[in-house]
Structure formats: structure tokens, C-alpha cells
Amino acid sequence: MRMTVLAMTTSWRKAMVLARKSYWGQNSYGATHTDVVNYQQRIGYYCGDDAVDVFPVAFVDVFFSTGDLPSLNLATCNPTDNATFSGTLLPDCSALASDIETCQAAGKLVTISLGGANGGVGFSSDAQGTAFAQTIWDLFLGGSSSTRPFGSAVLDGVDLDIEGGGGTGYAAFVTEIRSLASGASKQYYITAAPQCVFPDASLGSVINVVAFDAIYVQFYDNPCGLPFFETTTWNFGVWDNWARTTSPNPNVKVFLGAPAASHAAGTGYQDLATLSSYAVQMRQSFPSFGGVMLWDESQAYVNDRYDLGIKNALVAAGGTGFTFPACSAPAYVAGTAYSGGSKVSYDGYIYEAKYYADDVPSNDPNGDWSASAGGSSSASSASSSATKTTTSTSQTTTTVTSTTTSASSSPTSGSCAGIAAWTSSVAYAGGSQVTYNGDLWTSLYWSQASTPGGSAGVWVDDGPCVVSRRDKYYKRTHIPLSEVIDQITQKHRKSARDSTCKVKVENE
């Protein structure tokens, strides 16, 4: 299922204070109710106030249909009920063009969402993903075609709601959209809607290697969702850590995705007061928080203007800048055994032990700790002296830097001096460095037993140990050179930050 985007911070779209996003197109209210008068209205109907800032139109649910063109399936415009372009199953929805343009004139973003829970989507290769980007550009964005579903309306970007299949071709798709948009006269945005389970099964590898403007995380119908907000299985902190340390876009925003009514999803719906409280807590705890996304606008509007209520709560909480909360927790002390529920400050976060924990706190979703907030206190400076190598009875998590030594054999010349050799029994956090087969490798995200150079794509080959680091970029051909350079640059810049909790204000 997908949502409406309700609130976003100014760094995602400079002109807005908070972003509210809400999906439109599927009439999910009508799927569970019979009062036709409250069924989904035309998209322009919802643009009369400032409750919602972004409307992803859902969905392009088939990528390669009749005539090798995609198919669009909206409740009010689809191949069954509407005329299609000759030789295709692509419906003519040009009657919606004026609504879309009305929303855009009111300052809203309208994007096209690809996928959905039942979508027949996916690519067999990077080449297919690249070619499909051109198709989407021509049909919905800044290109031209005789088969544009929304006629003259030019949408503001693309949302990937991919809920099945692997990640093949999606990085190439995003890269090509970025390339096509680079010389355009307007700004285009790229977003994704992963499940809260980290890493996402379909897009986990994709969001690590290409830049997204925002991530609409589905915190419902999942074991890490809103019903578990008061427990350590709630993992917004993991997504915040991804945004701040792994994402190629250091300014990416993470949205709290929620059902807009009790019938909008299987689990996860919270009443307005509860969701408002949760959203405000995340707004005040994590700098990557961008706003709230809802599934969907037909449900939100009828549910006593649930969308407007969330918007008001977020605006009241403040829409500009971010001040890290005080580190009320004591600094983590290496070698200490902590009982479940214990809180410590370490590496820029306040962590809570899920259960008995004697390893170093980290944002490993399978680890012993859960990040409850970003923190600010010089009291945790002791954490900076603790080793980044952590050990427990079940696994070892290590973040290897150039100062780490190991008994394992490793080159001592070039850029690999002091870097430990890769070991299959060690769990590596994102940003870790190892040597393997004479090369230096950097991990994109947490992994264990994923061989450098293997099919999982976890590791970036930094090149032979005896040559300069710039040589590595010519070995990685499936991602454009400029993106790899940017990704590594951002990683190095972030790793150089003071990792201790300290007072910090970020203007978004």
C-alpha cells in the first residue's frame, strides 16, 4: 500500500516548512466502504488547503505492457474503464491534466508512483532500467510523446514503491532520470517507499548507491511499525543512521509512513493524538526526519481530516532547523554489561539496550541496541576512546579504520596500511574497510559473510593496495563514475565528524 505525504522539512523542498505527503489514485476508502459520496475525489479537490504538500499518484503498476509501454491503474482512470492509446494498455487520463496543474499552481508537488503491492514491475538488467527511465521521462516528466497519459501536465518527479523482486536496474533507472533532469528548467524529485524492515528487501541495495531526495518508510504492516513505537523494535533510528552515514545524498529526508484510517492497512493505524505525538517525538529526536506520509488521501480526508490534524501538529512542533536533544543518558563504557532497557550515549546517538548487552552500541538492526534519539552532550566523549570492534556470544560487529590493527595478514603499503583482512565470521557495519585479494574494500552497509566482490554488492572496491585510491573508480562500471566519487566523498566527510554527543544545531 502507499500513502499521502503530509509533512516535510525545508531541506527537502526549500520552499516548505514541513512536508505532508499523501498518496492519491487508488481510492482505498472505496475498497472498504459503500458510501459512494465519500469515495476518492479528483486530485484537484484535495489541493484547496495546505494539509498536503506532495501527492504521489499511484500507480504505474506494469512496466512493460502491450506495445512495450507501461500501464497506469488509477481508480478513476485505468485500462478497463477508460480509453487507451492505440496499440497499448496505457489509459488516456488527460482529463486530469487541469487538476494536476491546479495543484502545482497551489505549490503542491505531484509525482508518479511506480509499483504498488500488486505491481508487475521490475527489470532484467541495468540497460532495461536505463531505457525505461527515458520512457517515464517522455510520458510523465519533461520529455515528449504522443501517448502522455496526463496530456500537457508535467509531473514533478518519480516515486519508487517497489514491494517485490530484486533491485536490478533501479539504480540505473534513477541515474538516467537524474541525467535527463540535469538540464531541465524545473526541479525533479526522486523518492522511494521501502518497508521499515532494514535493509529493504527490494530497494535496500539501490538506496545505498544512488541519491534519493526522500524516503517514505512504511511503518505499518511490519514488525518494526507504529504498534511497536514504545519498544526497542521501533527502528526510525536505524533509518536516521542510514540517512546520515550511508545515503549518497547527505540531505535525504526520512518520512514516517502511516495508515490514514483503521481500514487503510492491516496493522499500524494510530489515532490522531497518538500519531501526532509520535511524529513530533521523531521530529525532535532525529535530524533526518522529513515529515509524515499517509496511505492514502481518500482515507485521510474522510477520517475527520486526519491529514490536516497531522499537519497542524508538525507545524506547531517547528519546521525549521534542528537542535539535537540533550544526552541525558550516561556515556557508554567499554567492557560494561548492560541490562535490557539501559540507556547510554555513544557515537552521536542515545541507545537503549534491547536486552542484556555487552557489545558496543551501533545501528545494526540485528544488534543488541536500538537508537532512541540523536544526542548532544560532551559527557559522552569517553565513547570516542572505545574500540569500534564489538564482541558478543552471537556475532562480532566491526568498523575497521586506518588505525585498526589485526593479527590477520594485511598489506602494509599504499592505502591499506593497518587495515585488517576480511573475515567471513565478522559482521561489518557500513563504512568499514577491509583488505581482500590484495585490494582495499569499503562496505556500503551492514553485512556478514558477504564476500567482497560478491553478487550481494555490499562492498565497494577501492582498488589495489599498492596504487592510489583514485584508481578504484575505473573498476566499478555498473555505477557512473561521478556517483561513486560522490558516494565515497560523502562517506569520508561523514566519518570525519566528531562522533561524540555534543550540542549541535542544523538549519535545514
Side-chain angles (χ1 to χ4, degrees):
M1 290 187 177
R2 256 330 145 275
M3 333 79 180
T4 302
V5 182
L6 288 182
M8 91 180 113
T9 55
T10 54
S11 58
W12 192 77
R13 191 178 183 208
K14 296 296 184 182
M16 296 182 180
V17 174
L18 284 171
R20 286 80 63 190
K21 305 178 186 296
S22 193
Y23 280 73
W24 177 90
Q26 290 299 298
N27 184 28
S28 81
Y29 182 88
T32 55
H33 296 78
T34 58
D35 48 331
V36 178
V37 67
N38 286 321
Y39 281 11
Q40 174 180 279
Q41 306 296 312
R42 291 170 65 104
I43 189 171
Y45 178 83
Y46 303 106
C47 295
D49 58 31
D50 62 352
V52 179
D53 295 316
V54 185
F55 289 96
V57 176
F59 296 104
V60 169
D61 65 333
V62 178
F63 283 2
F64 304 101
S65 186
T66 303
D68 206 31
L69 285 180
S71 184
L72 179 67
N73 187 3
L74 311 180
T76 53
C77 188
N78 55 73
T80 301
D81 301 325
N82 299 84
T84 58
F85 293 102
S86 179
T88 79
L89 287 179
L90 187 62
D92 182 354
C93 308
S94 56
L96 291 172
S98 60
D99 280 63
I100 292 170
E101 291 168 343
T102 295
C103 290
Q104 291 173 323
K108 317 293 186 183
L109 297 180
V110 182
T111 64
I112 187 68
S113 185
L114 313 184
N118 301 311
V121 301
F123 304 117
S124 60
S125 65
D126 284 354
Q128 193 176 49
T130 299
F132 190 67
Q134 183 70 60
T135 298
I136 293 298
W137 177 259
D138 290 339
L139 293 179
F140 298 101
L141 305 178
S144 61
S145 172
S146 60
T147 57
R148 288 178 67 89
F150 299 126
S152 60
V154 179
L155 302 191
D156 298 295
V158 178
D159 172 63
L160 297 181
D161 182 11
I162 310 304
E163 303 194 25
T168 299
Y170 287 104
F173 171 85
V174 171
T175 298
E176 184 64 14
I177 291 290
R178 293 285 189 202
S179 176
L180 291 167
S182 62
S185 59
K186 63 177 286 183
Q187 178 72 47
Y188 292 91
Y189 299 93
I190 301 178
T191 62
Q195 309 295 314
C196 63
V197 177
F198 188 92
D200 181 72
S202 298
L203 293 176
S205 62
V206 179
I207 63 175
N208 288 338
V209 295
V210 288
F212 285 78
D213 297 293
I215 302 293
Y216 309 151
V217 182
Q218 298 183 54
F219 287 103
Y220 53 92
D221 291 338
N222 279 301
C224 42
L226 285 160
F228 307 98
F229 184 88
E230 302 292 347
T231 76
T232 54
T233 61
W234 173 255
N235 71 343
F236 196 99
V238 171
W239 286 96
D240 177 77
N241 182 257
W242 166 83
R244 295 165 62 187
T245 66
T246 302
S247 168
N249 175 13
N251 297 314
V252 66
K253 289 301 175 183
V254 178
F255 284 73
L256 193 167
S262 58
H263 295 288
T267 64
Y269 174 69
Q270 309 294 311
D271 61 48
L272 177 60
T274 301
L275 183 61
S276 295
S277 174
Y278 291 171
V280 169
Q281 286 183 58
M282 295 301 95
R283 167 73 180 94
Q284 295 172 343
S285 297
F286 297 106
S288 70
F289 178 83
V292 172
M293 169 275 289
L294 296 177
W295 177 262
D296 67 352
E297 185 58 17
S298 68
Q299 299 268 13
Y301 199 89
V302 177
N303 187 16
D304 295 326
R305 290 307 308 272
Y306 192 77
D307 52 352
L308 187 59
I310 297 297
K311 175 260 179 181
N312 290 337
L314 286 169
V315 170
T320 60
F322 179 82
T323 301
F324 278 92
C327 267
S328 56
Y332 164 76
V333 178
T336 301
Y338 293 91
S339 59
S342 299
K343 290 188 177 182
V344 299
S345 57
Y346 181 77
D347 203 26
Y349 285 93
I350 298 174
Y351 288 94
E352 180 177 351
K354 298 177 182 177
Y355 30 74
Y356 174 87
D358 60 0
D359 62 349
V360 175
S362 73
N363 273 290
D364 172 8
N366 299 312
D368 298 341
W369 298 88
S370 175
S372 60
S376 60
S377 170
S378 59
S380 68
S381 60
S383 65
S384 63
S385 63
T387 177
K388 289 275 191 168
T389 301
T390 67
T391 306
S392 68
T393 56
S394 60
Q395 68 179 29
T396 299
T397 302
T398 180
T399 302
V400 184
T401 67
S402 61
T403 61
T404 301
T405 59
S406 171
S408 303
S409 174
S410 62
T412 57
S413 62
S415 59
C416 296
I419 303 298
W422 176 81
T423 303
S424 62
S425 61
V426 173
Y428 295 92
S432 299
Q433 290 185 317
V434 299
T435 60
Y436 184 78
N437 284 348
D439 281 15
L440 177 68
W441 299 78
T442 300
S443 67
L444 294 174
Y445 45 87
W446 185 94
S447 69
Q448 185 172 10
S450 294
T451 306
S455 59
V458 174
W459 296 91
V460 173
D461 187 353
D462 292 347
C465 292
V466 295
V467 299
S468 66
R469 290 175 64 84
R470 65 176 289 189
D471 292 341
K472 69 186 176 184
Y473 300 118
Y474 298 97
K475 301 185 74 174
R476 224 166 125 73
T477 58
H478 63 287
I479 301 174
L481 174 62
S482 60
E483 291 187 16
V484 176
I485 293 174
D486 181 67
Q487 174 191 340
I488 300 300
T489 299
Q490 298 296 344
K491 188 181 297 296
H492 287 174
R493 187 185 73 212
K494 290 176 180 179
S495 67
R497 295 173 179 169
D498 184 351
S499 63
T500 62
C501 288
K502 63 181 181 180
V503 176
K504 180 179 180 184
V505 178
E506 290 185 356
N507 292 317
E508 296 169 337

